[in-house]
Amino acid sequence: MDGIMSKLRNLDAYPKINEDFYSRTLSGGLITLASSVLMLLLFISELRLYLHTVTETKLVVDTSRGETLRINFDVTFPALPCSILSLDAMDISGEQHLDVKHDIIKKRIDSHGNVIEARPDGIGAPKIEKPLQKHGGRLEHNETYCDDHCCNTCEDVREAYRKKGWALSNPDLIDQCKREGFLQRIKEEEGEGCNVYGFLEVNKVAGNFHFAPGKSFQQSGVHVHDLLAFQKDTFNVSHHINRLTFGEYFPGVVNPLDGVHWNQESPSGMYQYFIKVVPTVYTDVGGHTIQSNQFSVTEHFRSADAGRLQSLPGVFFFYDLSPIKVTFMEEHVSFLHFLTNVCAIVGGVFTVSGILDSFIYHSQKAIKKKMELGKFS
């Protein structure tokens, strides 16, 4: 038994020295104090990393198909009345959403930005509770301009013209519009602005959506807006983007167009945003997954007098999808990893401080010895 104990004693990698042979120095005490403080700070830093989550980022090819893209927006036009503003969306698959009215709310605002009226019925002219009759009064319940297949309001006429691809050049020539005071209402809203917010649900393919005055229609395969009805030569499309997102919010997302403001200096023109949408998947530490998107953007303004063809006044957002998907995954650092780092901190600082103490001790000893030799010589 004594032999086994003796062999184990010989394996001791930490031989002990009698305390009588220890030599304690002032430099050693200072180094010990400094190294202890350093180890404590590094330990606290490592503990904070262990208690908090870390985010791992990966890039993968986006193989999803048949999904939709939700576009959330909140845009203010300080010089464009709500009654003339419309929203269209279209994509490269050929799908079009003209004069979008659903899931949209707009607010009439004055020149100071104060809300005059909020209309939940969406983009387009305000609804008339009871249209005017030909003799100037209001229509009763069973009374219409024409029969069931005719247009009983100015808005019905404009919609019928849009479907036919016709422009409404002079609303005063249309009995419904004249009786309802279409042009008068537009003149009354001059100087007002409009705040439009809501969301669009579109196909997950490249496309665009835009805010522009007038109802849109197709004419000879070309997308055009009926601006003649407003009898105006210029339209101020100055705008402030309060919020624009492609998908749900997730921690750390940065939307570069939030808070962007642009003032129009030329009489009229088209302001364009070219957006690159990057599909993003965010998974938190609890395993909850958020399917969303990030985007980058460039801007361009095309004046109405640039080129031969006149530019449609409005604000256009052209978006394209990236084939690469970004995945963010939150996770905790494992306890073994934390323990390994703590051991590395303690061992590393202890070793370095020991080397430093030994160097200072032997340097002081050598200098003292030389000084003693100099006295005797």
Side-chain angles (χ1 to χ4, degrees):
M1 187 69 179
D2 292 337
I4 296 175
M5 297 296 289
S6 177
K7 288 182 179 179
L8 288 175
R9 192 178 295 112
N10 290 333
L11 292 176
D12 186 4
Y14 309 100
K16 312 303 183 293
I17 302 175
N18 195 310
E19 289 188 3
D20 296 336
F21 297 98
Y22 280 122
S23 176
R24 303 183 185 278
T25 62
L26 177 63
S27 61
L30 293 174
I31 292 174
T32 301
L33 181 62
S35 59
S36 299
V37 172
L38 180 60
M39 279 191 286
L40 179 63
L41 293 176
L42 292 176
F43 172 77
I44 293 174
S45 175
E46 192 64 33
L47 181 63
R48 289 181 61 186
L49 290 176
Y50 172 70
L51 295 177
H52 289 76
T53 58
V54 295
T55 303
E56 182 181 358
T57 305
K58 290 182 181 180
L59 299 178
V60 297
V61 177
D62 186 13
T63 57
S64 59
R65 294 183 298 174
E67 295 182 353
T68 58
L69 181 65
R70 178 171 174 140
I71 305 172
N72 307 292
F73 58 84
D74 183 352
V75 186
T76 299
F77 297 87
L80 208 58
C82 288
S83 60
I84 71 174
L85 190 63
S86 66
L87 170 64
D88 300 329
M90 54 197 70
D91 57 47
I92 59 173
S93 68
E95 186 168 324
Q96 297 185 357
H97 303 273
L98 304 181
D99 196 19
V100 179
K101 297 179 184 292
H102 54 84
D103 301 317
I104 307 295
I105 295 177
K106 63 179 181 178
K107 298 178 181 178
R108 290 172 58 194
I109 57 175
D110 59 22
S111 57
H112 302 290
N114 300 315
V115 177
I116 301 173
E117 178 191 9
R119 284 203 291 264
D121 53 325
I123 302 295
K127 293 181 179 179
I128 306 298
E129 293 182 359
K130 285 189 176 182
L132 290 167
Q133 304 180 65
K134 292 183 179 179
H135 50 73
R138 295 291 177 183
L139 288 172
E140 299 303 327
H141 290 292
N142 299 324
E143 190 177 8
T144 61
Y145 276 120
C146 312
D147 53 50
D148 292 337
H149 301 286
C150 292
C151 305
N152 297 315
T153 67
C154 183
E155 184 67 14
D156 291 341
V157 175
R158 295 180 66 203
E159 183 65 19
Y161 270 58
R162 185 190 68 80
K163 291 179 179 179
K164 289 287 187 179
W166 299 342
L168 186 62
S169 58
N170 189 353
D172 278 345
L173 297 179
I174 306 299
D175 181 69
Q176 293 92 324
C177 296
K178 185 176 181 180
R179 298 298 182 184
E180 293 172 10
F182 175 78
L183 289 178
Q184 181 64 29
R185 186 171 64 247
I186 291 176
K187 290 179 181 179
E188 289 174 356
E189 292 188 10
E190 283 188 5
E192 292 183 6
C194 190
N195 170 242
V196 188
Y197 65 94
F199 68 90
L200 293 170
E201 201 83 28
V202 297
N203 295 324
K204 198 174 179 181
V205 295
N208 81 83
F209 65 98
H210 56 268
F211 301 91
K215 280 189 173 291
S216 60
F217 56 91
Q218 293 290 327
Q219 190 175 71
S220 301
V222 180
H223 180 79
V224 295
H225 279 246
D226 180 15
L227 304 180
L228 296 176
F230 306 122
Q231 300 181 358
K232 294 179 64 176
D233 296 327
T234 61
F235 296 90
N236 188 343
V237 294
S238 298
H239 57 277
H240 181 84
I241 302 176
N242 305 304
R243 184 175 69 102
L244 180 66
T245 63
F246 290 80
E248 294 183 51
Y249 169 83
F250 62 90
V253 64
V254 176
N255 299 309
L257 286 180
D258 287 1
V260 169
H261 185 78
W262 180 77
N263 283 320
Q264 178 176 306
E265 297 179 357
S266 60
S268 192
M270 175 192 296
Y271 203 85
Q272 300 167 313
Y273 293 96
F274 298 94
I275 298 171
K276 193 71 170 181
V277 180
V278 181
T280 304
V281 179
Y282 184 89
T283 305
D284 62 20
V285 70
H288 176 63
T289 299
I290 300 175
Q291 300 280 348
S292 188
N293 300 277
Q294 304 177 85
F295 67 93
S296 60
V297 63
T298 56
E299 308 168 20
H300 176 70
F301 176 70
R302 188 166 67 180
S303 179
D305 55 2
R308 297 181 180 179
L309 294 176
Q310 189 178 26
S311 301
L312 173 67
V315 180
F316 286 70
F317 297 86
F318 298 91
Y319 57 88
D320 194 7
L321 279 299
S322 170
I324 302 298
K325 178 188 291 185
V326 180
T327 62
F328 297 109
M329 181 172 292
E330 281 188 346
E331 55 186 17
H332 275 299
V333 176
S334 67
F335 179 74
L336 288 179
H337 188 271
F338 167 72
L339 189 61
T340 302
N341 287 349
V342 170
C343 292
I345 289 172
V346 175
V349 174
F350 185 81
T351 302
V352 172
S353 61
I355 294 172
L356 182 61
D357 176 63
S358 177
F359 174 76
I360 294 175
Y361 174 74
H362 287 93
S363 296
Q364 288 179 339
K365 195 173 180 181
I367 293 172
K368 187 176 181 181
K369 188 174 181 181
K370 285 185 178 181
M371 291 176 65
E372 291 177 350
L373 290 175
K375 286 182 180 180
F376 288 110
S377 61

